[in-house]
Amino acid sequence: MGETIQKFLQNNSIHTVSSRAFSGLFRLRKLFLSQNYITSLVPDVFRDLHKLQWLVLDHNPIRSISHDIFSGLKSLMFLSLVNTSLVQLSEPSLCNYMPLLSWLDFAENHIEVLNYSTLMTCSELTVLLFLFLRSLRENKIRTLPENTFQSLGALAELDLSCNRIADLPNNIFENLKSLLKLNISHNPLLHIHAGHFDHLVQLESLGLEDIEIPDIQTKMFLPMGKLSYIYFKDFQYCSYAPHVRKCKPNTDGISSFEDLLANMILRVSVWVMAFITCFGNLFVIGMRSCIRAENHLHAVCIKVLCCADCLMGVYLFFLGVFDMKFRGEYNRNALLWMESQECRTIGFLSMLSSEVSVLLLTYLTLEKFLVIVFPFSHLRPGKLQTGVVLVSIWLLGLLIAGVPLLSDDLFGNYYGRNGVCFPLHSDRLEKPTAKGYSTGIFLGLNLLAFLVIVFCYSSMFYSIYKTGINTTDVRNRLHKDVAVANRFFFIVFSDALCWIPIFLVKTFSLLKMEIPGTINSWVVIFILPINSALNPILYTLTTSFFREQVELLLCRWQRSSSLMKDRKSLTSTTIYMDPSRHTFYHSKGKMSRVTYPDADAQYD
């Protein structure tokens, strides 16, 4: 027995341990008593284990321990009491009889209070774990006195995650100057002081998962110059620790730790959508300027709509430019970018484009509704009224987009909540005024506009269908009804495709439901600009009048081109004459130019 080095007694049915169970085992180095039914240990039970280095008592229903249980363990370095149902620890220091103890693990227990006296003499302790599983909901550590870790100057790792700690004293980590790893994740902390981590100059890893930090600041993490790994609840927090090499979560679906746009699909798509939106709207503006419209006022409204939609393309273009600028080092610049005037400006442009487009589409729909449903009424906007409406819409759009920029105290960084500078997704740190304002815009004004458009187009189709019943040419009527139905369907469908996902995302974020980051990226890059890209097609390129005018313009261009070719082929002919045969020429070798005056007459 005296030569035994290790003793494995785990996975047995041991209920009690005699006070003389380990007598004479002077050379024992490791003792494993885990996964038994031991409820208590008598004092001095390990008194002869002077060379014991490892003691594992995991998964035993031990509810309390006293410091004299460990008498004689002067060489013990590793003590594990994982999931032993401990409710309290002994008041005198646990390390009175274990001066060399360096690893102490109390994970998955029911300890409520941790006092300074418990760890007072544990000066050699380097790892202290109080990790609790989520399934153990009751009796977690709730309070930590300010001097709890005062004597643990050599501590290298401290894990206090998954407890019930609501407040940490400001100087609780003051003496942990050797600490390399700290984890306080999954605690209901109400506040983290700006100077909480000032003394952790050697810290390399910090866990703050599932902790809200409403007043987060960059200076909180600057003293930790060696910090390499940090774990937050939200990706946005990573921007406040730009010097850290790795931060988790490393993406919010839109941006990543390295790039403003998280993946290649987004990077390519932002340029494609920008090109389609800008080119399509500029093309329509140019074509409508060249083609004489039947309804001049309607054409002006469409061109104004294209101008508003073009701003969305400009927004996407600059988003792509800044993505290229920050490529590979976004997190170092994330905070500066989101607080910059450039971010606010393009956010302002996107909001202006979106709201002016919504208001203009609503106005155009109402105008068409009055013409079709009430054809004999005199409710037709004239030139002056149309001008007033268009100016009012732009002023209202400027007001909606500009109000959040007037007061940072009320709205905070309204456009800088994410890397793409668009205030769609609400988070817990958003100011109440900003949250209410964005809710009023997206779920108030825009939702109302969408419902008005759906109602108007439904009424228009019904009115056209009802009028068509009285016609005698059934086949022609059906053909026209199908054409109108298709056109109206695609207009409403494009609006629904753009706005319904936005309504849902905004609603889910207000309900504090978890929204995958990839959905946010799709909404901002693909869905939000979809109306701006499709409006030129729906309101111009698919109309019969526009197609007829384009065909006429092409015919004229082809005719003009053929005329130019014919004129070039009917050039003047120069003839050299022999002076001996043509005596009427005055000088020898002089050229005579013969023209055909009637050659072009037929093309006049």
Side-chain angles (χ1 to χ4, degrees):
M1 291 287 289
E3 297 298 322
T4 304
I5 302 298
Q6 302 182 72
K7 205 166 189 65
F8 299 93
L9 298 173
Q10 67 267 33
N11 293 305
N12 285 290
S13 299
I14 301 173
H15 287 75
T16 59
V17 179
S18 168
S19 61
R20 299 184 59 81
F22 307 110
S23 296
L25 300 180
F26 302 109
R27 297 177 61 84
L28 190 65
R29 300 293 179 90
K30 295 182 180 181
L31 175 59
F32 297 88
L33 288 167
S34 56
Q35 295 178 327
N36 283 288
Y37 299 96
I38 303 169
T39 57
S40 62
L41 291 169
V42 298
D44 302 323
V45 66
F46 305 119
R47 62 182 179 275
D48 289 346
L49 306 183
H50 303 308
K51 293 190 177 182
L52 191 69
Q53 296 178 351
W54 281 42
L55 176 57
V56 180
L57 295 166
D58 300 344
H59 306 289
N60 281 288
I62 303 172
R63 295 187 62 83
S64 63
I65 55 174
S66 60
H67 73 290
D68 52 4
I69 290 175
F70 306 109
S71 64
L73 300 178
K74 58 184 179 181
S75 299
L76 195 69
M77 301 174 65
F78 179 90
L79 174 60
S80 181
L81 289 156
V82 175
N83 193 19
T84 54
S85 303
L86 282 173
V87 175
Q88 62 181 15
L89 300 175
S90 61
E91 284 297 322
S93 177
L94 282 172
C95 300
N96 280 344
Y97 298 104
M98 300 177 289
L100 300 180
L101 188 65
S102 61
W103 187 297
L104 181 57
D105 194 344
F106 286 116
E108 303 177 38
N109 282 285
H110 302 161
I111 302 167
E112 293 186 37
V113 180
L114 186 63
N115 293 317
Y116 163 67
S117 59
T118 304
L119 305 170
M120 184 170 55
T121 59
C122 299
S123 58
E124 297 297 320
L125 199 63
T126 58
V127 179
L128 179 59
L129 303 176
F130 283 94
L131 173 66
F132 290 76
L133 291 179
R134 288 177 178 269
S135 58
L136 298 175
R137 298 180 183 275
E138 69 282 357
N139 298 326
K140 305 295 179 68
I141 296 178
R142 299 176 184 275
T143 58
L144 289 172
E146 189 166 347
N147 58 358
T148 302
F149 309 115
Q150 186 173 341
S151 60
L152 306 183
L155 192 66
E157 181 177 343
L158 176 60
D159 195 333
L160 294 166
S161 59
C162 301
N163 280 281
R164 292 289 181 265
I165 303 170
D167 182 59
L168 285 173
N170 194 21
N171 296 317
I172 191 168
F173 305 125
E174 184 176 3
N175 295 317
L176 303 181
K177 293 182 172 57
S178 299
L179 198 65
L180 300 177
K181 185 176 181 180
L182 173 63
N183 189 2
I184 56 175
S185 303
H186 307 293
N187 279 288
L189 284 169
L190 302 176
H191 181 69
I192 292 183
H193 298 281
H196 251 143
F197 311 117
D198 284 355
H199 304 283
L200 303 179
V201 292
Q202 300 296 326
L203 200 69
E204 297 176 355
S205 176
L206 176 61
L208 298 169
E209 294 176 274
D210 201 35
I211 294 177
E212 295 284 358
I213 315 176
D215 52 352
I216 188 170
Q217 304 172 45
T218 305
K219 65 180 182 180
M220 285 182 175
F221 311 103
L222 288 179
M224 298 177 285
K226 295 185 178 180
L227 192 65
S228 298
Y229 302 92
I230 193 165
Y231 305 87
F232 285 118
K233 178 179 181 178
D234 295 320
F235 170 73
Q236 280 72 20
Y237 292 154
C238 289
S239 60
Y240 291 90
H243 64 289
V244 176
R245 186 160 56 90
K246 292 291 182 182
C247 180
K248 296 289 184 178
N250 60 359
T251 181
D252 60 354
I254 300 175
S255 303
S256 68
F257 191 77
E258 293 83 13
D259 301 309
L260 174 57
L261 297 177
N263 55 62
M264 184 59 68
I265 295 176
L266 292 178
R267 292 175 208 140
V268 173
S269 299
V270 74
W271 288 104
V272 172
M273 293 300 293
F275 175 78
I276 292 174
T277 304
C278 288
F279 176 79
N281 285 284
L282 290 175
F283 174 76
V284 169
I285 292 173
M287 293 301 293
R288 281 197 174 269
S289 299
C290 296
I291 296 174
R292 187 174 181 179
E294 289 181 332
N295 188 337
H296 176 69
L297 294 180
H298 181 75
V300 170
C301 292
I302 294 297
K303 286 192 281 187
V304 172
L305 175 63
C306 289
C307 290
D309 289 334
C310 216
L311 291 179
M312 186 61 71
V314 174
Y315 159 75
L316 294 173
F317 171 77
F318 279 106
L319 202 59
V321 169
F322 283 106
D323 170 61
M324 294 178 64
K325 179 180 179 180
F326 299 133
R327 187 70 50 81
E329 51 182 23
Y330 172 66
N331 194 63
R332 292 181 178 273
N333 303 281
L335 191 60
L336 292 174
W337 159 243
M338 289 187 287
E339 293 179 350
S340 68
Q341 288 299 323
E342 291 87 348
C343 180
R344 296 188 180 199
T345 300
I346 68 170
F348 171 84
L349 287 178
S350 65
M351 180 64 80
L352 176 64
S353 171
S354 176
E355 295 312 305
V356 171
S357 181
V358 167
L359 294 172
L360 273 170
L361 288 176
T362 307
Y363 169 70
L364 289 170
T365 303
L366 288 172
E367 184 186 28
K368 190 179 296 184
F369 172 78
L370 294 175
V371 171
I372 293 176
V373 178
F374 304 103
F376 302 109
S377 68
H378 298 287
L379 299 173
R380 302 287 187 276
K383 190 173 183 179
L384 178 62
Q385 291 89 340
T386 301
V388 170
V389 169
L390 293 179
V391 171
S392 300
I393 286 175
W394 275 98
L395 290 177
L396 182 57
L398 289 168
L399 183 66
I400 291 172
V403 164
L405 299 175
L406 299 179
S407 175
D408 286 348
D409 293 333
L410 287 176
F411 293 93
N413 189 7
Y414 186 76
Y415 291 110
R417 305 301 304 174
N418 51 55
V420 294
C421 309
F422 191 79
L424 176 61
H425 183 264
S426 297
D427 55 46
R428 297 174 183 84
L429 304 183
E430 190 176 21
K431 288 185 177 292
T433 307
K435 185 177 293 186
Y437 187 78
S438 62
T439 302
I441 297 300
F442 291 108
L443 296 182
L445 179 63
N446 290 4
L447 180 58
L448 178 63
F450 174 69
L451 294 176
V452 168
I453 289 174
V454 172
F455 171 77
C456 287
Y457 275 109
S458 301
S459 300
M460 282 188 281
F461 178 73
Y462 177 75
S463 179
I464 293 171
Y465 174 77
K466 188 176 179 181
T467 304
I469 291 176
N470 300 322
T471 62
T472 56
D473 190 350
V474 177
R475 181 177 297 179
N476 185 48
R477 177 178 64 81
L478 288 175
H479 177 73
K480 289 183 177 179
D481 284 352
V482 170
V484 170
N486 286 337
R487 179 170 166 75
F488 285 4
F489 168 77
F490 281 110
I491 289 174
V492 175
F493 177 73
S494 69
D495 291 340
L497 192 65
C498 175
W499 292 344
I500 288 179
I502 293 175
F503 298 150
L504 292 176
V505 168
K506 191 64 181 176
T507 302
F508 290 159
S509 66
L510 289 174
L511 296 175
K512 299 181 180 179
M513 297 175 65
E514 196 68 28
I515 302 174
T518 50
I519 292 181
N520 289 326
S521 64
W522 276 84
V523 168
V524 174
I525 303 299
F526 295 99
I527 296 176
L528 183 65
I530 201 167
N531 252 5
S532 299
L534 291 179
N535 282 341
I537 299 173
L538 294 173
Y539 290 91
T540 298
L541 302 181
T542 59
T543 59
S544 57
F545 174 77
F546 185 80
R547 290 200 304 268
E548 291 171 0
Q549 292 298 312
V550 170
E551 289 173 2
L552 183 61
L553 194 65
L554 289 174
C555 288
R556 288 177 179 174
W557 179 79
Q558 288 176 351
R559 183 182 177 188
S560 175
S561 178
S562 62
L563 284 173
M564 291 296 294
K565 289 180 180 178
D566 290 342
R567 286 178 179 177
K568 288 181 180 179
S569 64
L570 296 174
T571 56
S572 301
T573 305
T574 304
I575 303 174
Y576 294 90
M577 307 298 294
D578 188 344
S580 62
R581 298 177 61 182
H582 300 83
T583 57
F584 53 87
Y585 283 96
H586 299 286
S587 60
K588 184 178 180 179
K590 187 167 182 178
M591 294 185 296
S592 175
R593 187 174 182 180
V594 180
T595 61
Y596 297 86
D598 296 331
D600 293 332
Q602 58 181 320
Y603 299 102
D604 289 344

